[in-house]
Structures are given as C-alpha cells and as structure tokens.
Amino acid sequence: MTEITAKQEDLIVRPSAGLSLRGTIRVPGDKSISHRALMLGAIASGETEIQGLLLGEDPRSTASCFRALGADISELNEQLVKVRGLGVGGLIEPATVLDAGNSGTTLRLMLGILASQPGMFFTVTGDKSLRSRPMSRVVKPLQQMGAQIWGRQDGSLAPLAILGQKLQPIHYPSPIASAQVKSCILLAGLMTEGKTTVTEPSLSRDHSERMLKAFGAQIEVNPDTHSVTVTGPAQLRGQKVVVPGDISSAAFWLVAGAIVPDADLTVENVGINPTRTGILEVLQMMDADIEILEQHSVAGEPVASLRVRHSQLKATTIAGDIIPRLIDEIPILAVAAAFAKGTTVVKDAAELRVKESDRLQVMAAQLNRMGAKVTELPDGLEIIGGTPLHGAEVDSHDDHRCAMSLAIAALRASDTTTIRRAAAAAISYPDFTPTLVQICQ
Ligand code: S3P
C-alpha cells in the first residue's frame, strides 16, 4: 500500500512497489480566472455570479482586499459566489492595509485599479515572499501614466503606498511577456480617458482580455503584434462567470500519469485556453500518451477532459515563445524530464527566479537531493533524465507548485520522501493531498 501522510506542514510519501494511478478526477477552479472574476465583479456595476471559484489562499486574498475596498462578496464557495460591485471608480478608501498574502496576481492587478482612483490613498503589502518580488515591472508603467506610488528601493518592493490619480493613457511596450503586467495596465486604462495599449514580446495568458470584453469593456486585440488596447473610461456590467478547472493544477496529474507505470487517469473540466496549453504540447513532444476529449466552450473559455496513460517519455527542449504558455508548469515539467530518456533543456525561463520562490534553484536542489541530475542555468535547467530517484527529505520553500511537483516525483522514488512545508499547496490546490490519496492504488 502506498502511504501518503500529512503531518503538520509536511507531506510524507512512501510509494508501494506496485503503485498504480487510476481514476477520474476534477481539479479546482482556475486561479487566474478566479482572481479576475472577483476583481471585475467588484468594479462592475450590478451583480456578478461566479461558479467554480478556486477556494485557494490566493483568491481568498483577492476577496479580502476587495471587501476592504467596499465590494460586497458573499462567503466563498465553489457553487456560487455573488459579488455586488461598486462600478469602475466606486471603490472606497480602506481604513486598513490591503494584504495580498502570497499572491502576486492580487497585488499587481490591484495596483492598476488603485493607482487610477483619483484622490484616494491606499497601502498594500504581502507575505515575506511577495515583499521580495519585483513590483517595478508594474510600478514603472503606472508611473509613466502619472501614478504616484512609493515603496522601498524606488517603489519596487512592497509594502507600497499609492495616492490615486487621474492617469494618462500610454502605449507600453512591455519588456517581458507577463499577464500580470498586461492586466495591471489594462485595469488602470479602464479609468483613463483614451486608448491604453500594452504590447508584449510574446503572448501571455489572455484571461483579462476575454473577461473585460465579456463585462462590456471596449477591448481590441492585435494578435500579430501581441497588443491589447482598452478604451477608457469604461463601464463594466456584472456577469455570470463559470470558472473552468485549472490546467496548472491538472499538470501534476498529467505528469503523474505519464511517469507512473500502468497509470490511467482522466482529469475532467480542464480549461484549455490556447495561451495556457504549452504543457500539453511539451508533454506530447515528450511522447506522453494524452488524449483531449469532450472539447467544449464554457462562458467564453475552452474546456476539455484530459486522459493520460503511462508511457516512456523522451527528452526535449523547452524555450522561446512557448515559455509564457507554460510558465507555471516548469517545476512539474522538470519532474517529467527526470524520467525521460535523454537530456531536457529549459531556456528563456529566468522569470522563474522571481516567482513565489526561485523555482529554478529550488527544483534543481530538491530533485538532486532525490538523486536526479539537474543543473541550474542562468535562465533555465538542464535535466539528464533516467537516473532512478530515491526518497529524501526535500523542502518546498513554501512554494505551492514546488511542493506538489516534489510530491509527484516522490511517487516514483524508492523509499520514503518527506516534503517539508508541503502545506503551501493550499495556495492554489487545497485538496491536492486527498486527490493524491484517491488515485493511488
Ligand atoms: C498570472 C500570470 C503569471 C503566472 C501567475 C498567474 C496571472 O505571472 O505565473 O501564476 O494570473 O496573470 P506573470 O504575469 O508574472 O508571468
């Protein structure tokens, strides 16, 4: 019997020799879409109804910030969350500090909204990890629009103080493909008279564009130049949002199914927005046996069931324009690569160094503790696949995606692995451990 035990913050995984993964599961709601549904609901007029919201710690941070800003958000649950919005420009000045917890998306997107509320004063902060993550990528373009923002290191680190202003529209050529940067500027553009445009070097996830359009904003997308324009001032109307399952959470089961002998798993109701499906393309390139079933569209987002069966993976190179389309899946792809024949190289992924942890450093160090052969590159990883992994004591560094990736690696390790601080999984996937127990046979 495979033993999976949660002990305080840690997770202990002892796989049995005959471990097999079987079953049909669902993953929780998409984190990016959950944040946006709460935020747009809060600044729209009328009521927004959200089905399938992710109940992870990150969307909880968004809900608590926007409650403090005056939005009426019902108790969070997966069935139905009701948001009574205040209208664009209708937020109230909170009497307390807005705390985004561990969530970069909460803080960076919210900054665009706050900076454009004339005359209102806000202070924002986050946990230790978020307070060390770069905010200049959003503060700089907002300052170009006329925003007043203060913080440590020339306004680049939270806590930040913001005095809302009437902003000027800009055309911002973003040096990085980041949906958080793009969304922050578009949200600031809602309150700004004229056309605010963001151009990215390659396309990042487009959930903001899709949802802003659905809420009634005037959005123009130019796919050839990776540009998005919002025309302000905009009025948003509350909508019904159905949140699909998060492909970034499904990714753990896709890799588990690919690397565990005899596995046969189906993950239902997974969002397969093309700006997020880099993981499917890479796993298919690695010879994973993945079927995309029952494709349909739910509230403007494509959804499918994904079936994965075990196969021998082969190494690949992951670089260039695909990186933003699988940015959150690189830790679990590193695990897949450790079981693939040959040497996998990940490049152009320096962004991973400024996520919830330095994911390149954490994944290389922790997988190597289990016997893998991973070398850190300045902007990626080199992984020589095929060396057998053994149980070890590893540490998530409080990073949800590293915690879950290491738990999947542990399924194919000889002996017992203890993942320290695995409870971080609750940021994006509170039921990760019960689901792991459910499919282990
Ligand atoms: C997100 C964008 C990505 C991603 C993060 C969620 C979003 O970050 O890593 O988990 O919801 O906009 P970057 O925009 O910094 O790449």
Side-chain angles (χ1 to χ4, degrees), residues 295-358:
Q295 282 195 52
H296 60 289
S297 171
V298 177
E301 291 277 351
V303 170
S305 291
L306 304 174
R307 182 178 184 185
V308 58
R309 280 170 282 191
H310 172 253
S311 59
Q312 174 59 57
L313 298 180
K314 67 169 200 256
T316 191
T317 296
I318 310 170
D321 282 356
I322 201 166
I323 294 291
R325 297 176 52 235
L326 47 67
I327 189 76
D328 292 338
E329 287 69 76
I330 291 171
I332 189 64
L333 280 171
V335 174
F339 293 95
K341 260 198 190 127
T343 301
T344 293
V345 179
V346 180
K347 285 191 297 199
D348 306 319
E351 272 295 300
L352 261 74
R353 297 207 180 273
V354 290
K355 294 291 179 188
E356 286 83 330
S357 70
D358 177 342

Side-chain angles (χ1 to χ4, degrees), residues 163-297:
L163 181 58
Q165 303 291 322
K166 188 170 158 42
L167 301 180
Q168 300 303 315
I170 51 167
H171 182 166
Y172 185 64
S174 176
I176 37 174
S178 158
Q180 294 181 357
V181 171
K182 172 173 64 179
S183 306
C184 167
I185 297 166
L186 293 176
L187 289 169
L190 291 176
M191 283 281 285
T192 304
E193 222 172 290
K195 287 183 185 290
T196 297
T197 301
V198 187
T199 299
E200 310 186 83
S202 52
L203 188 61
S204 66
R205 64 193 67 192
D206 67 357
H207 304 300
S208 294
E209 297 90 298
R210 287 175 187 245
M211 206 184 287
L212 280 166
K213 239 186 215 168
F215 274 69
Q218 198 185 321
I219 300 283
E220 292 150 65
V221 177
N222 185 338
D224 299 332
T225 55
H226 310 305
S227 300
V228 191
T229 301
V230 62
T231 304
Q235 296 296 323
L236 304 183
R237 285 179 306 278
Q239 298 294 315
K240 285 192 169 52
V241 180
V242 184
V243 183
D246 198 327
I247 192 167
S248 298
S249 298
F252 301 108
W253 311 126
L254 295 178
V255 171
I259 65 171
V260 173
D262 203 31
D264 186 351
L265 289 174
T266 300
V267 193
E268 292 180 333
N269 185 43
V270 183
I272 52 161
N273 176 313
T275 59
R276 299 285 298 281
T277 46
I279 174 83
L280 299 180
E281 287 157 42
V282 167
L283 285 175
Q284 279 163 344
M285 263 171 4
M286 295 176 82
D287 277 352
D289 179 356
I290 295 176
E291 278 180 88
I292 303 174
L293 307 165
E294 293 161 39
Q295 282 195 52
H296 60 289
S297 171

Side-chain angles (χ1 to χ4, degrees), residues 50 96 189 398:
I50 311 170
T96 185
D398 259 333

